[in-house]
Amino acid sequence: MAEVNYQKLVPTYFEQVIQLANTVHGDGYLTNESIADWVNRGIHAGINCGYVALLNQQVIGFRITFSANNWPIDQWCSPKLWLVPSEKCCYFKCNTVDQKYRGLGVGKKLLKLSIEAAKQQGATAGIAHLWKQSPNNSAVAYFTHCGGKLVKSHPDKWNEASKHGYNCILCGHDCHCEAAEMIIRF
């Protein structure tokens, strides 16, 4: 296998990222509008926290991370349990790897690159909501292996999004999947 190349997530890769995201997570997960917004939320002080993994110029994985103070702390967040000031926490929005390339360290490398960028922006921790219904709960297992600690579980995290266009690959347009709110302290 050729060597995987890691690059900043920029508009050149948007089309491939959208296609991979919607294949893995379900139609409507990512759109032209949402990817532009999400990537912009990860840029602060000229530093971009988003990355793609490329194999022969084909996107095989990506990481989208929102900069600290550039994401909403909503009802699915438990800042009192983080033990880190919320203004120092970035948000690990999405890490996706093509099924053919899972288990090769691509997701872990994307996360490490994103953490380094977030640290340069001033973050001291990162929050994520992991999909507990991923095959064999692999999302939570991967994040735990990378140093993530469980904060709280949130049933029906993506239910509202599923009623507004997101088509969960397990539940359809009435998603009842559970999210594990997790933190990695840097």
Side-chain angles (χ1 to χ4, degrees):
M1 183 171 87
E3 187 174 328
V4 177
N5 181 22
Y6 297 88
Q7 297 293 323
K8 294 288 188 175
L9 176 51
V10 295
T12 304
Y13 304 114
F14 283 9
E15 185 177 327
Q16 289 185 63
V17 168
I18 292 167
Q19 183 178 17
L20 179 59
N22 291 341
T23 298
V24 172
H25 301 291
D27 287 338
Y29 180 80
L30 201 51
T31 65
N32 288 321
E33 295 77 25
S34 61
I35 192 170
D37 176 49
W38 290 6
V39 170
N40 284 333
R41 289 180 189 224
I43 300 170
H44 175 71
I47 301 165
N48 182 351
C49 288
Y51 285 88
V52 293
L54 303 166
L55 185 62
N56 299 322
Q57 294 305 305
Q58 185 68 31
V59 172
I60 63 165
F62 67 92
R63 157 65 67 195
I64 296 175
T65 299
F66 297 166
S67 303
N69 289 318
N70 208 12
W71 59 282
I73 297 174
D74 57 19
Q75 74 269 27
W76 308 107
C77 297
S78 311
K80 290 181 181 171
L81 302 177
W82 297 345
L83 307 177
V84 175
S86 61
E87 63 272 8
K88 292 289 189 178
C89 293
C90 67
Y91 184 71
F92 300 120
K93 177 63 177 167
C94 182
N95 193 54
T96 303
V97 177
D98 185 304
Q99 185 175 350
K100 295 179 286 203
Y101 303 101
R102 293 181 191 156
L104 301 175
V106 173
K108 184 176 183 177
K109 177 69 174 179
L110 288 165
L111 178 62
K112 283 184 176 185
L113 290 167
S114 191
I115 287 172
E116 287 308 310
K119 286 166 59 175
Q120 289 175 16
Q121 293 178 346
T124 60
I127 305 300
H129 289 93
L130 288 297
W131 184 39
K132 292 179 80 172
Q133 282 69 32
S134 64
N136 300 316
N137 200 15
S138 59
V140 172
Y142 138 79
F143 205 74
T144 300
H145 180 73
C146 291
K149 304 290 183 208
L150 179 66
V151 174
K152 188 175 180 179
S153 288
H154 298 281
D156 296 332
K157 162 77 168 90
W158 296 283
N159 185 260
E160 193 63 28
S162 72
K163 293 177 180 175
H164 297 283
Y166 168 54
N167 187 17
C168 173
I169 62 170
L170 296 180
C171 310
H173 291 290
D174 189 21
C175 181
H176 292 282
C177 290
E178 188 171 350
E181 178 185 357
M182 298 183 75
I183 187 169
I184 294 179
R185 293 175 186 88
F186 311 152

